[in-house]
């Protein structure tokens, strides 16, 4: 699988959220570089599993909708 890519804005927002998490939940002030390192780790190690789960859920949802559509067809 290719590396998950975010827009610059999405990436920066995610880094900000990581930094806020550390500040609020762990009472730790981490810098931007540490936030970027954490974000890169998440994208590389955890992101693909989350992405694959989302695709699997979408496929199940679409299959259900297609099955419903065929149920409404006039014979």
């Amino acid at each position: 699988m290719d590396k998950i890519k975010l827009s610059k804005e999405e990436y920066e927002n995610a880094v900000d959220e990581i930094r806020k998490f550390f500040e609020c939940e762990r009472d730790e002030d981490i810098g931007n570089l540490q936030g970027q390192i954490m974000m890169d780790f998440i994208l590389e190690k955890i992101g693909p599993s989350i992405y694959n789960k989302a695709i699997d859920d979408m496929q199940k949802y679409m299959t259900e909708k297609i099955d419903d559509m065929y149920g409404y067809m006039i014979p």
Side-chain angles (χ1 to χ4, degrees), residues 2 15-16 18 32 38 40 43-44 46 57 59:
D2 291 336
V15 170
D16 286 342
I18 290 169
N32 197 49
M38 177 65 76
D40 292 342
L43 287 174
E44 181 181 341
I46 301 168
D57 289 350
Q59 287 175 331

Side-chain angles (χ1 to χ4, degrees), residues 36-50:
Q36 290 174 355
I37 290 169
M38 177 65 76
M39 187 61 200
D40 292 342
F41 171 80
I42 291 168
L43 287 174
E44 181 181 341
K45 302 294 183 182
I46 301 168
S49 296
I50 295 169

Side-chain angles (χ1 to χ4, degrees), residues 28-68:
E28 293 179 44
D29 186 22
I30 66 169
N32 197 49
L33 178 60
Q34 291 89 350
Q36 290 174 355
I37 290 169
M38 177 65 76
M39 187 61 200
D40 292 342
F41 171 80
I42 291 168
L43 287 174
E44 181 181 341
K45 302 294 183 182
I46 301 168
S49 296
I50 295 169
Y51 178 86
N52 289 338
K53 176 66 174 137
I55 294 295
D56 185 53
D57 289 350
M58 182 274 311
Q59 287 175 331
K60 288 177 185 174
Y61 174 81
M62 293 303 295
T63 299
E64 289 173 6
K65 295 301 173 191
I66 290 170
D67 290 346
D68 286 348

